[in-house]
Amino acid sequence: MRHGTGNGERRTGSGRGPAMFRAGFRGRCVPRLRVPTRGLALAVGLALVGGAPLSLAAQERGGAALGQAVGALGSSMRVLIIGAHPDDEDTQLIAWLAKRAHAEVAYLSLTRGDGGQNIIGSELGEGLGVIRTEELLAARRVDGGGQYFTRAYDFGFSKSAEETFQHWPRDTLLTDVVTVVRVFRPHVIVSVFSGTPRDGHGQHQVAGLLAREAFDVAGDSVRFPRARTAGHPPWTVTKLYRGARFSPELATLRINVGEYDPLLGRSYAEIAGESRSQHKSQEFGNSASPGVAWDHVRLEATRAPAAPVGGERSLFDGVDTTWTRFRTRLAAGSARAALDSLPGAIARVSASLDLSRPVTDLRALVALSRLTQRLCASPRLTCAEVGGNALVSTLPSAEMADADRSLATLSRRVATALRLAAAVEVVATVERATLARGDSIAVDVAVYNRGKATVRLRGFSVDGSDAGRARREDLASVAIAPDSALRWRYWAHGARDTQPWWLSDARQGDLFGPSLSAIVPGASEAARAGGGVSDLAETGRAPSARVTALLEYDQGVFSASAAVAHRRSEFIRGETRRPLFVAPLIAITVGNELQVARAGVDLRRDVRVRLRSAAADTLDVVVALKLPDGLRTPAPRRSLRLLPGATMSLDFVVTGRLAQGRHLLSATATARGAIFHTGYSSISYLHLRPQLMYRDAAIALQAIDVNVPAGLTVGYIPGGSDNVAPVLQQLGIPLTIIEPASLRDADLSRYTAIVVGPRAYESQIGLEDAGARALAEHNERLLDFAARGGALVVQYGQYELLAPGIMPYPITINRPHDRVTIEDAPVRLLDETAQLLRYPNRITSADFAGWVQERALYMPRTFAPEYAALLEMTDPGEPPKRSAVLVALLGKGIYVHTSLAFFRQLPAGVPGATRLFVNLLSAQPASGGGAVASPATPESR
């Protein structure tokens, strides 16, 4: 494994499928509307709506949103931006394209960012991938783009494309990218990266290479027949650009993304700043000042006619994006006449728009809606099924794909504009947020007509299944007058547990398990999911059940939808909404999924088993603990009563000894004759929709042959992505968490060692709260602690370590920083007699086996002669690096700086890393037993 812009170690999902519901309906419409009960399957994954920010910003509702929707009606341009990770995307360009050019724009991220670090919490690996996926979707909600991913798992930082392709089979990833291109059918691709070593990260290089290859071969039906791309037909992209934000001198086109939008009240760069700021796990808070701001791109390849004299003025120069591009190939006169009517109908909508009174006149929009229905020749709101409308059936295959996508987008935009102008809103609520698998829950639905015109309900669906189709005559006459509401109730039946859809199958190496068709759901699936963009893999997936009402005004058809949610009011936050999740009747978790222990030493461990009920009634439960050889507990089986929706914890005292190696401790809960052995943790942050991640109710116990000296007492200042302190406590080391705000007055003399967690200085510096900045402000107290005889161990940081007063002696860190990314890269002990390599554990080359993801990162390039080096390591083909562990005498004590990735190794139970870390904690000035560490050589300084 490697380190990069996402994270990755172990799979935390349970192998379960996406959450599913079945719904039975009892409709009512004040008076109650009767609808026959029937079962309807509701697919649940991730979506554009719902979750943490279920509320809408001002620009997404009312006149501002309607103005944007109407402005986009005349556009059929499509742009796909391709990068490697969450945060790679050019949010300024996305915001400008979506809200100024009104293009349909999407970002394809090869990965979900699983392999990097997390400054806002402790989640790593797939848990971090869930966070960064949600952050991308939050960003798209702001800037107006759509979102795709491939099946690639971010295995961490790599230094070359060649290394990256050892983890991601090249042809597999190219197939994923080509499939996305064929689904989205962009006229223009913008590659964020060049595909050359100057991109740095090997995954960046691969993104650049695959963008170019996809441009070349997406239209090749021989190399990529439809069967290879989930049935999607070939598509030829007209132009390929490379991003030139950081090399504007190479640009062939620049765009003023600082242009002010009077309707939105901000510039597109300011909107992009808010979008960028959703990447909070990466500290990407961003702002933009009013005024001109340029974005730059470079044209790399084109199939369009030659650029006009004087150079390009638009991304779409030479690209025919007008509706007339289909006209000459149409045989049917009625289809040609309908197509010819489109520009005039769209112009009449724009001319009739009054943003101060957007709900008063719907006639022009209704006329356009009728026209799009004629073109689509289908009662559905999307034309996205190939051959499903009157226009595309008369065109050759390539133009059919273009017309199909363009009409689908137009149809969706017209329906959105009509919904906004009609001022209709759907609300779907449940009395609790969790539904037990196999149980049912009442969902109360209300359709509010806040406009000036009467609308009629033509039907409704749950995640796309037409609940009214069986008795359409009962629904056709139901009118919703202005300032009134239509209400009904249906019953949702929990069929499958809710979890991130891409974790539904076990990961295969560094590729997620779901099939290719899962990353680009077809139009019908996306329509069921109710997303804002009809077939985008992520922005078209619902977070929970979603109710959609099909409505009509004077034969103009539109829809309004809402995620099913539990709503509550809090005194401080106000209204909060949580999507309805399906979970096991009993979810059972036990401790952390991996813990360490000292091999061959008496162990006493408190094991906490946590139960969560999703039932609507009380359950009689039997909890059983299964222990590995060598451990025992007085009462391994216990009975209890679990109240409806309650959470309860049971503590077991486990004692004994473990032999060196890995052992399994597991728990089960039995109720209603069924045995439950999985549970979930909730990933919940204010800027994101909550998600559930499942794992088995088990602890992998790694018993390590490690000596811990008597009298060792540790104070620990947590950093980012930091799960090291619990591991030290599991070894029996007395440890106290030190909050930075307490440093000024804390009695540090009680500790023999103090540890500063990874990136702890970075996570404190720059925050508004004065207490949060206390670590840097009171760092002198830590240095004084070492000078008085203590051991101060500072884990890796970034460039904030270069600030005066942070480290006792200077270092430099290169840009880009030095790192050793190969987790099994050879390590040489520079002085095997050094105290830190002998006490209390003798460190040998065997201790560097079995490391995960990487060796070291942000390694100092140079360091002062006061530091001595312990280790030498390097990646293939690079000069040796000696700064992974630097040790300096400081007064009567010792200062240790380590850039080794202990924050990954210790939580993963890597024995050698654990033994070495205990040695660093035990550091003391040498007294006749050899040097603390080997002196630095001139080359390493």
Side-chain angles (χ1 to χ4, degrees), residues 39 45 183 217 219 313 377 380 393 455 489 509 561 628 719 810 813 886:
V183 169
V217 304
R313 293 183 295 273
R380 308 182 74 166
S393 60
V455 298
R489 168 175 286 187
S561 62
I813 300 177
L886 299 177

Side-chain angles (χ1 to χ4, degrees), residues 292-522:
V292 173
W294 296 104
D295 207 326
H296 299 81
V297 294
R298 175 181 178 83
L299 181 64
E300 177 165 302
T302 182
R303 297 183 175 97
V309 177
E312 289 190 308
R313 293 183 295 273
S314 164
L315 287 172
F316 305 101
D317 279 353
V319 181
D320 186 358
T321 58
T322 66
W323 292 104
T324 57
R325 66 185 185 274
F326 308 120
R327 188 178 188 278
T328 58
R329 306 298 293 270
L330 291 176
S334 60
R336 183 177 298 180
L339 189 70
D340 290 343
S341 301
L342 267 183
I346 293 172
R348 285 188 289 275
V349 171
S350 298
S352 66
L353 181 64
D354 183 352
L355 294 181
S356 65
R357 296 186 300 167
V359 298
T360 56
D361 189 352
L362 306 181
R363 288 174 296 179
L365 266 173
V366 167
L368 181 58
S369 175
R370 293 173 181 168
L371 184 59
T372 57
Q373 289 176 66
R374 284 169 51 199
L375 286 168
C376 291
S378 168
R380 308 182 74 166
L381 295 179
T382 175
C383 304
E385 293 175 314
V386 174
N389 62 71
L391 174 59
V392 301
S393 60
T394 64
L395 294 172
S397 59
E399 287 157 325
M400 180 174 70
D402 187 9
D404 176 69
R405 178 78 197 200
S406 300
L407 283 173
T409 301
L410 175 63
S411 179
R412 173 173 48 82
R413 287 174 169 175
V414 171
T416 297
L418 192 52
R419 172 181 57 81
L420 290 167
V424 173
E425 181 178 356
V426 173
V427 176
T429 58
V430 287
E431 62 182 7
R432 63 184 190 274
T434 305
L435 171 65
R437 184 175 66 242
D439 282 355
S440 298
I441 192 171
V443 181
D444 291 307
V445 183
V447 180
Y448 294 94
N449 182 355
R450 301 193 288 184
K452 303 299 183 183
T454 296
V455 298
R456 293 184 178 276
L457 179 69
R458 287 184 50 173
F460 65 92
S461 63
V462 182
D463 282 2
S465 299
D466 187 355
R469 184 171 297 169
R471 297 285 300 276
R472 186 171 298 281
E473 66 276 9
D474 288 350
L475 306 174
S477 61
V478 179
I480 312 174
D483 296 322
S484 69
L486 168 67
R487 305 177 192 273
W488 69 87
R489 168 175 286 187
Y490 75 88
W491 289 86
H493 178 76
R496 295 182 190 172
D497 298 341
T498 306
Q499 71 163 328
W501 69 271
W502 66 94
L503 300 179
S504 60
D505 298 316
R507 180 159 48 86
Q508 306 299 315
D510 292 318
L511 294 177
F512 286 111
S515 65
L516 176 63
S517 60
I519 70 169
V520 281

Side-chain angles (χ1 to χ4, degrees), residues 12 155 161 229 234 255 494 567 604-605 617 636 672 702 779 831 854 910 913 934:
T12 55
F155 56 85
T229 55
I255 299 167
R567 304 173 71 178
R604 185 186 186 280
R605 187 69 51 91
D617 53 5
R672 291 184 182 173
Q702 181 72 46
N779 187 64
D831 181 0
E854 60 194 334
V910 177
S934 62

Side-chain angles (χ1 to χ4, degrees), residues 816-838:
H817 64 275
D818 294 329
R819 62 202 307 168
V820 176
T821 65
I822 305 299
E823 60 266 30
D824 56 0
V827 177
R828 185 167 73 91
L829 310 183
L830 293 176
D831 181 0
E832 294 185 4
T833 68
Q835 184 195 77
L836 288 179
L837 297 177
R838 292 188 302 114

Side-chain angles (χ1 to χ4, degrees), residues 125-361:
E126 290 168 344
L128 180 58
V130 172
I131 289 174
R132 292 193 172 176
T133 294
E134 286 297 322
E135 287 180 335
L136 270 179
L137 296 178
R140 299 294 82 81
R141 286 191 288 269
V142 173
D143 59 36
Q147 185 63 53
Y148 286 103
F149 296 93
T150 72
R151 290 170 290 179
Y153 173 76
D154 181 358
F155 56 85
F157 189 86
S158 65
K159 294 183 176 179
S160 68
E162 291 73 22
E163 180 189 347
T164 301
F165 282 130
Q166 292 175 15
H167 294 262
W168 300 339
R170 183 170 189 152
D171 196 55
T172 300
L173 258 291
L174 178 59
T175 300
D176 282 11
V177 176
V178 168
T179 302
V180 171
V181 170
R182 288 184 172 184
V183 169
F184 188 65
R185 301 166 194 169
H187 302 99
V188 175
I189 288 177
V190 178
S191 173
V192 175
F193 299 108
S194 66
T196 66
R198 73 170 180 265
D199 294 329
H201 200 322
Q203 294 178 12
H204 292 173
Q205 297 176 43
V206 164
L209 290 169
L210 294 182
R212 176 59 201 244
E213 289 187 61
F215 173 83
D216 291 337
V217 304
D220 188 340
S221 60
V222 176
R223 181 174 176 185
F224 285 93
R226 291 179 62 147
R228 284 193 63 185
T229 55
H232 297 284
W235 176 256
T236 300
V237 183
T238 305
K239 301 173 81 173
L240 171 67
Y241 287 87
R242 299 282 187 191
R245 286 179 289 169
F246 305 114
S247 51
E249 71 281 359
L250 302 177
T252 59
L253 180 67
R254 68 175 189 170
I255 299 167
N256 179 17
V257 294
E259 182 181 355
Y260 177 73
D261 189 314
L263 190 64
L264 301 177
R266 293 187 291 175
S267 71
Y268 309 108
E270 289 173 297
I271 294 170
E274 181 185 345
S275 170
R276 189 76 169 168
S277 297
Q278 304 309 307
H279 296 299
K280 299 184 190 301
S281 66
Q282 303 180 77
E283 293 185 294
F284 276 7
N286 189 274
S287 63
S289 300
V292 173
W294 296 104
D295 207 326
H296 299 81
V297 294
R298 175 181 178 83
L299 181 64
E300 177 165 302
T302 182
R303 297 183 175 97
V309 177
E312 289 190 308
R313 293 183 295 273
S314 164
L315 287 172
F316 305 101
D317 279 353
V319 181
D320 186 358
T321 58
T322 66
W323 292 104
T324 57
R325 66 185 185 274
F326 308 120
R327 188 178 188 278
T328 58
R329 306 298 293 270
L330 291 176
S334 60
R336 183 177 298 180
L339 189 70
D340 290 343
S341 301
L342 267 183
I346 293 172
R348 285 188 289 275
V349 171
S350 298
S352 66
L353 181 64
D354 183 352
L355 294 181
S356 65
R357 296 186 300 167
V359 298
T360 56
D361 189 352

Side-chain angles (χ1 to χ4, degrees), residues 761 794 796-803 806-807 811 813 897:
Y761 292 102
V794 177
Y796 93 97
Q798 300 186 2
Y799 303 101
E800 71 279 358
L801 295 181
L802 307 182
I806 299 297
M807 296 185 68
I811 64 169
I813 300 177
H897 174 268

Side-chain angles (χ1 to χ4, degrees), residues 4-81:
T5 57
N7 275 48
E9 287 164 22
R10 300 169 309 285
R11 174 172 153 63
T12 55
S14 66
R16 298 173 178 271
M20 298 290 291
F21 290 84
R22 297 186 187 280
F25 299 92
R26 289 207 312 250
R28 65 180 176 185
C29 162
V30 201
R32 184 183 293 264
L33 170 67
R34 299 184 58 82
V35 183
T37 301
R38 54 183 302 196
L40 298 172
L42 311 183
V44 175
L46 295 173
L48 181 65
V49 295
L54 279 168
S55 59
L56 297 176
Q59 68 185 44
E60 296 172 297
R61 60 171 77 204
L66 179 58
Q68 280 281 305
V70 170
L73 294 176
S75 172
S76 61
M77 302 174 287
R78 296 184 294 275
V79 180
L80 181 65
I81 298 174

